[in-house]
Amino acid sequence: MENYKKKLKAYLKEDIIYQDYLANKNKHFADFDLFCIEHCTDIENLLIECENLNKKIEKVYSLLNDYEMQDNEILKEFCKEIRYFLEEK
């Protein structure tokens, strides 16, 4: 896992306000606390979304590997283009 993901997950676990919120969602929180909670929730949602996208990308690579094994030059060229697209930064 990339270092930034580890740091963000550690941040979520160590954030006292967010952990208090997770344990006591019905508790009244101050405006600043709510801002922190929203920030942590956004981070958590992005980490989940990132993980889901990574799983989809892994599935695409798996399919590409399967398709490239077939004896079809058009399909192989298509797979090559998809790989190029996925590896662009």
Side-chain angles (χ1 to χ4, degrees), residues 17-54:
I17 295 170
Y18 189 59
Q19 292 305 314
D20 188 28
Y21 164 75
L22 292 176
N24 306 294
K25 291 186 178 187
N26 294 328
K27 178 180 173 181
H28 175 74
F29 291 93
D31 287 343
F32 178 77
D33 294 345
L34 292 173
F35 175 78
C36 292
I37 292 165
E38 184 177 355
H39 178 71
C40 288
T41 303
D42 290 344
I43 292 170
E44 190 166 35
N45 287 334
L46 279 173
L47 287 169
I48 291 167
E49 184 177 328
C50 185
E51 181 62 32
N52 289 338
L53 288 171
N54 283 335

Side-chain angles (χ1 to χ4, degrees), residues 1 12 14 25-26 30 47-48 50 54-55 60 82 88:
M1 177 184 315
L12 292 176
E14 295 169 7
K25 291 186 178 187
N26 294 328
L47 287 169
I48 291 167
C50 185
N54 283 335
K55 287 178 184 177
V60 168
I82 292 173
E88 283 186 346

Side-chain angles (χ1 to χ4, degrees), residues 1-10 47 50 54:
M1 177 184 315
E2 293 90 347
N3 193 35
Y4 69 90
K5 289 181 188 177
K6 287 181 183 177
K7 289 195 284 187
L8 287 172
K9 287 181 180 184
L47 287 169
C50 185
N54 283 335

